[in-house]
Amino acid sequence: MRRLIAAGLFVIATLSGAATSYSQGFMTHGWMTDFNVSSVEMDEIVSGGPPRDGIPSIDDPRFVSATSEQTVQPKEPVIRLEINGDVRAYPLRIMTWHEIVNDTVGGVPVAVTYCPLCNSAIAFQRQLDGESVEFGTTGLLRKSDMIMYDRKTESWWQQFTGEAIVGKKTGDRLTMLPVTVESFELFRTAYPNGKVLVPNHDGLRRYGENPYVNYDSRDRPYPLFMGNLPSDVDPMTRVVVIKDTKAGQPRAVTLPRLREDGRLRLGDVELRWIAGQNSALDTEAIADGKDVGNVTALRHSGNRQSAVVYDVTFAFAYRAFHPDGELLK
């Protein structure tokens, strides 16, 4: 199997064998986490290879204007976040290597996150008990989704749901913020003065390369996934998940269905698809990745439209965390 992460940063030795779970001897020394409190079975948690902060979060992000950015190619994906008129783009060419950016956008402390194994891009308010905190990577996974930790209580948080699953804050949920993953070309056209994340050190990682070559062409996730795969849909099919539904239970539609229709409604949310975005998990160079298109989502209430929290992820992840969630195929 081809390398997953260059320079030995992401050493995922378990890809060709069984994943190493907590119950199989994962070391917990060095953590201040309260391991007496958890909402999940600890043997569901596996080591992804790197140690804590082995995938380093970006805690002092640097930006340039969209018109000044010359490295990101037009169809490369970026995560767009807008708060109080402050618009920023976080290219997946960077996010893949760092997974978490601790930032302040429009005066709001945020954690912008990306889990490559689930293709899940989610932003959160990074506040606990009214205090701003930073988040880092534990190096651990549950159901192939990264587990974050906060640097105040060292509780462990599931990225896909924003819920604390181990430690003092178990049961608490972070507030999700609406983001859109779109091509850099779309972002730059709409927001020429928008801010674009750039590396703090250009040579630190192989930015622009995809360490998970052909991942989204597999018929199943890596063996790091522990759990049941869905039987009603290809596990690696992309699905669009509306996370903040009025009913509370997420709703989803497969990307092939949305791509075929071009536009459809899930309850009060209108989804649209247009071509022109590279997959970040296909070819070695992200700029050469296959076209998976751009998805937008807006909630309609009378004559008003508003942003909605949604994500374009893999079907196995959606079913793993929301087994009873609606899925339109």
Side-chain angles (χ1 to χ4, degrees), residues 46-63:
V46 303
S47 171
R52 171 168 54 173
D53 295 319
I55 304 171
S57 62
I58 296 177
D59 305 325
D60 185 23
R62 296 177 55 239
F63 297 87

Side-chain angles (χ1 to χ4, degrees), residues 50-299:
R52 171 168 54 173
D53 295 319
I55 304 171
S57 62
I58 296 177
D59 305 325
D60 185 23
R62 296 177 55 239
F63 297 87
V64 298
S65 70
T67 53
S68 299
E69 169 54 53
Q70 301 296 318
T71 303
V72 184
Q73 298 305 299
K75 291 182 172 54
E76 284 191 41
V78 302
I79 303 171
R80 169 167 55 87
L81 173 61
E82 178 178 4
I83 302 176
N84 299 327
D86 188 350
V87 189
R88 305 191 181 196
Y90 304 82
L92 293 198
R93 62 165 37 231
I94 299 174
M95 296 300 299
T96 295
W97 296 93
H98 294 279
E99 299 192 356
I100 299 174
V101 177
N102 292 295
D103 199 3
T104 300
V105 181
V108 179
V110 302
V112 180
T113 71
Y114 177 63
C115 176
L117 296 184
C118 291
N119 193 50
S120 183
I122 307 173
F124 305 96
Q125 289 188 22
R126 55 178 181 89
Q127 291 180 307
L128 299 180
D129 304 322
E131 179 183 346
S132 298
V133 298
E134 289 185 346
F135 285 86
T137 60
T138 61
L140 306 173
L141 303 167
R142 177 171 170 261
K143 301 180 180 180
S144 274
D145 181 59
M146 78 157 150
I147 298 175
M148 315 181 296
Y149 77 98
D150 71 83
R151 292 177 177 146
K152 178 183 178 183
T153 71
E154 295 197 0
S155 297
W156 294 358
W157 300 77
Q158 192 78 61
Q159 183 256 4
F160 199 87
T161 63
E163 180 181 358
I165 58 173
V166 179
K168 178 180 178 180
K169 305 303 289 185
T170 294
D172 286 6
R173 286 184 180 269
L174 300 171
T175 299
M176 293 185 180
L177 301 167
V179 297
T180 298
V181 178
E182 63 189 4
S183 70
F184 178 55
E185 185 175 47
L186 287 177
F187 178 84
R188 183 169 51 191
T189 299
Y191 306 99
N193 296 317
K195 301 172 183 176
V196 182
L197 180 73
V198 295
N200 287 349
H201 304 285
D202 288 338
L204 185 63
R205 303 288 182 264
R206 296 186 180 181
Y207 298 116
E209 290 189 19
N210 162 33
Y212 307 92
V213 176
N214 296 328
Y215 181 61
D216 60 3
S217 295
R218 293 172 56 90
D219 61 358
R220 61 186 59 225
Y222 292 138
L224 291 169
F225 178 81
M226 295 178 64
N228 296 319
L229 294 173
S231 59
D232 61 332
V233 62
D234 185 328
M236 300 300 289
T237 295
R238 280 177 166 82
V239 297
V240 185
V241 183
I242 309 301
K243 296 206 169 189
D244 61 344
T245 63
K246 290 183 178 179
Q249 181 71 260
R251 309 176 74 175
V253 60
T254 64
L255 190 64
R257 171 64 184 273
L258 177 59
R259 185 173 187 162
E260 179 181 350
D261 292 356
R263 178 189 304 185
L264 57 77
R265 293 285 289 262
L266 282 182
D268 60 350
V269 175
E270 181 179 72
L271 298 170
R272 296 188 182 189
W273 180 93
I274 61 171
Q277 182 191 136
N278 299 128
S279 166
L281 298 167
D282 181 28
T283 52
E284 186 167 6
I286 292 176
D288 296 332
K290 62 188 175 185
D291 188 350
V292 293
N294 301 276
V295 175
T296 58
L298 286 174
R299 172 165 284 118

